[in-house]
Every structure is written in C-alpha cells, then in structure tokens.
Amino acid sequence: MKFTVLNQDSGTAARTGRLELAHGVVDTPCFMPVGTQATVKSVTPEELEEVGAQMILANTYHLGLRPGIEIVKNAGGLHSFMHWDRPILTDSGGYQVFSLADLREITEEGVVFRDHIAGSLHTLTPAKSIEIQQALGADVIMAFDECPPYPSDRDYTCQSLDLTLQWAARSRKSHTDGRQVLFGIVQGGLHRDLRKKSVEGLEEIGFAGYGIGGLSVGEPREIMYELAEYTAGLLPAEKPRYLMGTGTPDELVSQIAFGVDMFDCTVPTRYGRNGSVFTEKGKMVVRNAGFKDDHRPLEEGCGCYACRNYTRAYIRHLFNTGEILAHRLATIHNLFFYQELMRNARRAIEEGNYSAFEKKFLEGFKPTSDRSDRR
Ligand SMILES: [Zn+2]
C-alpha cells in the first residue's frame, strides 16, 4: 500500500489523497458502499463502477458465518466470489459481535457469543478475526476491537480500551499476508484523554492506517463531530484516516473538513430501499403521494442512470406497487449522489476552497432528523 496526500486545504484540515492498494487506486476522500453479505444490496458490480465507487466494504462477521470462509476460499477469495475486482475493506467482526450476537463472555482471549442466525456458540479472537479476513482476501483489513455501547461509563470505557489495545497488538502479530494492509481502530468512547491514549497505543504498535471507531453509536451529533475532529487531529498526517460507519451527506461534508479520508455507511443503500433519495436540498421521500404526477427526474441535472431515464412519478409508482426495480433505481441514485459528493469535495480541496464548498452545501441541504448508523 502506498498513501500519498496530494492537496491540503488551506482553511480546514481537509485533504485529498491517493490510496494505492493491491486491487487498484482509490482517490480520497472516498465513500465505500457497504456490501455486508458480499453484495451491495440490489446493484451489480458493473453498476457500482458506473456510479464511480472505487472501493467497497464487506463484513467479516456475516461472511464468516455464511457462507463461511472455506467456500469463499475455494472460490478464489472474496473478489472473485462476488465478481468485484476493485479494492475491498473488511471490518474485524467486532462491531457485529457486540451489536448483533447474543454475547456470552468477553475475556482477554476474545469473545464467546451465540450467532444471530442459528444461535450456535462461537469464539472470536484477534487471531481468528485476522485469519478470516486473510482468507476473504480484502485489500484493507481491520484489527479486532471492542466498540463500547453508548452510553458507557468511564470505568467500563477504560477497561475496554485496555483490552482493545491488547487485541490490536495481537491482531498485528497475526497479520502475515503482505498483499493486505492492516488498520488499527481508535476507541476511547467520548473521553478525549482515552482517545489520545488509544491513538498513542496504536501508533506504538504501528499500523498502515487508522479507523476512528466508537462514534455514530447514538451520541448527539455535536459530540460526534467534536470527537471525530479531535481524533482525526491526533492521527499521523501521512496515514489514511477512516471514520467508521458514518454518515448522512451533511455529516460527510462536515467530517471531510476534519481531515478524514475514508467513510462507509449503509445510509445511501438502506434509505434507497425505503423510498428515500438524496438531493442537494436534503432527503426526499419519493414514495410519497405528492410525486405521483411529477414527471421530473429524482434530481434535475443528476447524471445517474435513474435520473437520465426515469421520473419521480414512475419510481413512485414502482414503490407503490412493490416492484423490485424501485429499490434498484433509488439505490443507484443515492450511491451516485454520494460518489458525486466525494468528487465535488475533492475538487474543492484541490482548488483550496473547501470552506466555501462546505458552507454552500450545508446551507442548501436540510439535515435529516434521523441519524446514520452502522450495519
Ligand atoms: Zn440521480
């Protein structure tokens, strides 16, 4: 992996970069669509390429359970299994174990849990997480961590952080595949000093890049912003910074200004399936009756496949009649909107006027009352 910072904005910490990985080059800041089950729901890899996605995220917990690593291995790895030849990032499975599974026990060794499908008993350790991620064969893999629930008290967060640092060191030790790079994950809850301790501990171990974890878990947005900015500022400038599991378009625009390089979130795909699309003015619920005779595209001037060929009235009709194409068109538009947002942000940083871009976008975009969350 090679990461090069290309432009540094003058008025904010925003920057553009070039991330060179085993399966290709990613321009940063970038947004990774989420392909939990080795598919970005309802769209093909060709459609992902058409919207401009350069990298996607897949999920260790889910793929480790179904279909299991042997089958993916026999297929020649995740890229060939899912027919996507550009970069992939897999998360460590930690977040899903803590949020989805029926947790039995957390020890120094790892986590014992019952999965959310068959209820069978499993143990996930740092070594096991890395073993699964190496078998999947993603370009970027993540250290195994505990993401403390929100809210958690300071004592719990402290203990959890110590454990996460131990697990980070063990993840690092287990990582042997030189074609993949390993990122550490910053935790420390909502406490600045613990965030700092986390960054220092991870830097001592040494990682190719750093995830900012433990945010967008239910805390107020202002607190998320404050801690994302603080944490991004602590991380080494020459390494990629990945803010995990966020967010809505306005959140991304604000957080790019903190110097974040990589994002992932289920929002564009999940909202699309629910009949909500993003425009420069904010979220629009296209399934609403108000659009039944509206023959404009989802967004005037949008270059996506859905907007070039279909109208609000038609897509609303598809939602109204439960047609699968409705989900696909809304998803394609939302993914294009996110990639276009990244392209525009990168251009603004190159031109050195990110502040003006951010201000203009946020003035026009009505914030969604609902929040981004993780898969
Ligand atoms: Zn569109």
Side-chain angles (χ1 to χ4, degrees), residues 298-299 302-308 332-334 336-337:
L298 294 174
E299 180 159 46
C302 174
C304 87
Y305 170 77
C307 290
R308 281 188 279 115
I332 286 171
H333 169 80
N334 280 350
F336 184 92
F337 182 88

Side-chain angles (χ1 to χ4, degrees), residues 16-265:
T16 61
R18 184 183 158 86
L19 181 59
E20 294 169 58
L21 296 163
H23 288 84
V25 173
V26 180
D27 299 309
T28 63
C30 73
F31 178 80
M32 298 179 278
V34 175
T36 304
Q37 305 284 8
T39 170
V40 175
K41 289 190 196 306
S42 89
V43 295
T44 65
E46 283 77 6
E47 288 163 338
L48 284 174
E49 285 188 22
E50 198 189 317
V51 300
Q54 294 176 307
M55 184 169 185
I56 62 167
L57 177 141
N59 200 285
T60 295
Y61 170 85
H62 290 284
L63 296 175
L65 291 174
R66 290 189 305 197
I69 55 173
E70 282 311 311
I71 289 172
V72 178
K73 242 188 198 135
N74 295 341
L78 193 51
H79 287 89
S80 102
F81 184 53
M82 69 177 290
H83 172 57
W84 169 256
D85 59 8
R86 294 184 178 187
I88 301 176
L89 179 147
T90 45
D91 64 6
S92 68
Y95 183 81
Q96 286 70 32
V97 166
F98 291 104
S99 60
L100 294 177
D102 174 16
L103 211 55
R104 295 283 115 174
E105 200 185 1
I106 306 174
T107 64
E108 267 189 46
E109 202 51 43
V111 183
V112 181
F113 66 95
R114 284 191 189 279
D115 69 62
H116 71 295
I117 303 165
S120 335
L121 212 55
H122 307 264
T123 304
L124 195 57
T125 63
K128 181 79 185 161
S129 168
I130 299 297
E131 183 197 327
I132 299 173
Q133 294 187 76
Q134 292 192 154
L136 294 173
D139 300 71
V140 177
I141 65 175
M142 303 300 295
F144 189 60
D145 65 324
E146 188 198 357
C147 176
Y150 174 81
S152 290
D153 64 31
R154 189 183 165 87
D155 282 352
Y156 184 88
T157 310
C158 258
Q159 280 173 26
S160 164
L161 175 58
D162 287 342
L163 192 62
T164 286
L165 284 173
Q166 278 186 44
W167 287 356
R170 280 164 43 203
S171 297
R172 178 82 167 76
K173 221 177 248 172
S174 306
H175 175 230
T176 51
D177 189 334
R179 290 165 303 175
Q180 301 179 301
V181 291
L182 176 65
F183 282 19
I185 301 178
V186 181
Q187 291 291 351
L190 306 182
H191 307 277
R192 281 183 170 229
D193 60 325
L194 299 183
R195 291 255 155 201
K196 187 154 188 281
K197 181 180 171 188
S198 177
V199 169
E200 287 167 357
L202 292 174
E203 275 203 84
E204 208 166 289
I205 301 164
F207 290 92
Y210 295 91
I212 301 172
L215 294 179
S216 203
V217 290
E219 75 284 7
R221 185 178 270 173
E222 306 69 51
I223 294 182
M224 172 178 70
Y225 280 178
E226 185 209 318
L227 283 163
E229 182 170 25
Y230 176 72
T231 309
L234 297 174
L235 290 168
E238 70 280 9
K239 301 270 176 81
R241 304 162 180 159
Y242 161 33
L243 183 53
M244 305 176 75
T246 172
T248 55
D250 49 329
E251 287 173 351
L252 298 194
V253 167
S254 296
Q255 289 159 337
I256 287 172
F258 305 152
V260 173
D261 306 303
M262 303 165 71
F263 299 93
D264 79 284
C265 195

